[in-house]
Amino acid sequence: MGNYILAQLNLEDLDALRAISIETFTDTFGSYNTPEDLAVYLETNYDQAKLSNELTNENSAFYFVKNSATAEIVAYLKLNWEDAQTEVFDEATLEIERIYVRPTFKRRGIGQLLMTHAIETAKSKGLTHVWLGVWEKNANAMKFYQKNGFKRRGEHVFMVGDDRQVDYILMKEIAE
C-alpha cells in the first residue's frame, strides 16, 4: 500500500466518517443536485444516529484509507453483506455501498486499493459476487468499475431529496 494504510472504523470514528461522507458526496454530486435536495440527502443519510447504527451493524464494515505519514483521511469504503445489503440477489453477494476518494487524492490507485480489499473481503466470507450501484451519469466511476470486471445487472432508484435518480446495478463474479 506504500504511503497509505487501511483501517477498519468503530464508533470513535463517527465524526470523522460523517465529515468525509458529507465532503465526498457533495464534491461528487453537489453540482448535479439542487441545494435543497442535497441538504435533505446529507441530513438524512449522514445523520449521526444513522451512521452510528451502520457502524455497529455486524453485517457492515467501514474503512478509512489514511496517509501513513500524516494520518490524513483520504478515502473511505463501506461494505455490506447478508441482511445489511440494500438489494437481494440469488447469488452469495457482498455490496460495495460507498467507495469515495477525496478529490486531491484521486488517480493515485486508492480506489483500486479499496476495490481489492472489497473483493478479498468477499472471498474471505465465501461469497461469489460483488455488486454496487452507480449513478447513470457518473461516467468516470463506471469506467473504473468496468475496468475491474463489473457488468450491468439492472438498475434501481436512488433518491436525492425529492429527485428520483437512476443507479445502474453492476456485479462482478469473483473467483475463489
Side-chain angles (χ1 to χ4, degrees):
M1 277 193 293
N3 300 329
Y4 302 102
I5 55 173
L6 185 69
Q8 188 167 347
L9 279 60
N10 58 45
L11 276 175
E12 294 172 3
D13 300 303
L14 178 64
D15 290 339
L17 174 61
R18 186 171 186 274
I20 193 171
S21 297
I22 290 169
E23 175 191 342
T24 55
F25 189 90
T26 301
D27 172 68
T28 305
F29 303 110
S31 64
Y32 299 100
N33 292 282
T34 67
E36 297 79 16
D37 283 338
L38 182 65
V40 168
Y41 179 86
L42 296 175
E43 288 169 22
T44 303
N45 288 278
Y46 301 130
D47 171 75
Q48 283 192 320
K50 184 176 189 312
L51 284 176
S52 177
N53 286 337
E54 292 177 6
L55 276 167
T56 57
N57 185 325
E58 64 183 16
N59 294 324
S60 292
F62 283 90
Y63 301 89
F64 281 152
V65 175
K66 295 181 179 182
N67 180 307
S68 57
T70 65
E72 178 184 10
I73 299 166
V74 301
Y76 84 103
L77 172 70
K78 181 184 182 201
L79 303 177
N80 299 318
W81 53 93
E82 296 182 15
D83 64 352
Q85 296 179 86
T86 59
E87 296 282 343
V88 177
F89 297 98
D90 292 334
E91 298 87 353
T93 57
L94 177 131
E95 175 187 15
I96 300 173
E97 184 178 353
R98 300 182 196 139
I99 182 169
Y100 285 99
V101 178
R102 292 175 76 199
T104 55
F105 293 93
K106 290 182 179 177
R107 312 246 186 279
R108 296 188 191 186
I110 297 167
Q112 192 61 55
L113 169 74
L114 292 171
M115 179 62 68
T116 299
H117 181 72
I119 291 167
E120 291 304 315
T121 299
K123 288 179 183 178
S124 76
K125 294 183 176 300
L127 303 174
T128 59
H129 293 74
V130 176
W131 74 276
L132 53 86
V134 60
W135 186 39
E136 66 181 339
K137 296 179 183 176
N138 192 342
N140 288 337
M142 278 194 271
K143 282 184 214 168
F144 172 73
Y145 299 135
Q146 287 167 350
K147 182 183 90 171
N148 276 278
F150 284 79
K151 294 182 173 39
R152 187 167 168 193
R153 171 73 177 262
E155 60 186 49
H156 63 201
V157 172
F158 185 87
M159 295 299 294
V160 178
D162 291 329
D163 188 18
R164 294 174 56 88
Q165 299 179 4
V166 174
D167 274 7
Y168 294 151
I169 295 173
L170 306 181
M171 188 174 285
K172 172 186 175 77
E173 184 172 358
I174 54 175
E176 293 290 320

